Amino acid sequence: MKRRLTLHFPSEAVHQPITYRLAVDFDIAAKILRAQIAPNQSGTMVVELSGDIDELDAAEDWLEGQGLGLNRAPGEIRIDPMLCVDCGICSSVCPSGALQYTPSTQRLQFEASRCLVCEQCIPSCPLEAITLVLQP
């Protein structure tokens, strides 16, 4: 099973070997999709965790016990067709290939089923046509 989480690190927790502990203690694979963490400062990391469902639950409890904030809110990436000019900049930062620019047609294609919701495309859009829509 896979889960996508945003981990919020307080400044005192940024030096902890979080992904190592997840692998060793819980047999969880942590794919880091985006990280903004600096020494002695708070930070965030978007990860996709893969493993057994019981181990994922235990790992989440452990992460919270380490002082990390977890954002489990599911969301989806949306592209506003009224703002998007099909420049393709976002496709260059998309790790899953959900955003693909076709030069021959000069069109941007978005395949939502491939999207990891890593949010890397959001800051890359110069027209702010891409947003994260949180689902209740």
Side-chain angles (χ1 to χ4, degrees), residues 18-93:
I18 297 296
T19 56
Y20 173 78
R21 297 268 41 115
L22 289 172
V24 171
D25 296 345
F26 300 97
D27 195 28
I28 299 290
K31 181 179 181 181
I32 300 171
L33 303 174
R34 186 179 74 184
Q36 294 176 333
I37 301 172
N40 301 318
Q41 296 180 14
S42 62
T44 61
M45 181 167 56
V46 179
V47 293
E48 182 181 78
L49 302 179
S50 302
D52 179 72
I53 189 165
D54 294 328
E55 291 297 325
L56 285 170
D57 290 339
E60 285 186 25
D61 291 341
W62 177 79
L63 288 166
E64 288 178 327
Q66 298 302 305
L68 277 66
L70 303 182
N71 180 0
R72 297 180 192 95
E76 64 181 26
I77 295 295
R78 291 220 181 119
I79 301 173
D80 185 339
M82 299 302 289
L83 295 175
C84 181
V85 295
D86 295 307
C87 68
I89 294 172
C90 56
S91 66
S92 67
V93 298

Side-chain angles (χ1 to χ4, degrees), residues 68-125:
L68 277 66
L70 303 182
N71 180 0
R72 297 180 192 95
E76 64 181 26
I77 295 295
R78 291 220 181 119
I79 301 173
D80 185 339
M82 299 302 289
L83 295 175
C84 181
V85 295
D86 295 307
C87 68
I89 294 172
C90 56
S91 66
S92 67
V93 298
C94 181
S96 67
L99 289 163
Q100 294 186 1
Y101 179 74
T102 308
S104 61
T105 61
Q106 297 183 344
R107 301 292 299 177
L108 178 70
Q109 299 295 320
F110 176 56
E111 191 175 334
S113 62
R114 293 186 60 148
C115 182
L116 299 172
V117 196
C118 68
E119 303 175 42
Q120 291 187 34
C121 56
I122 295 172
S124 74
C125 181

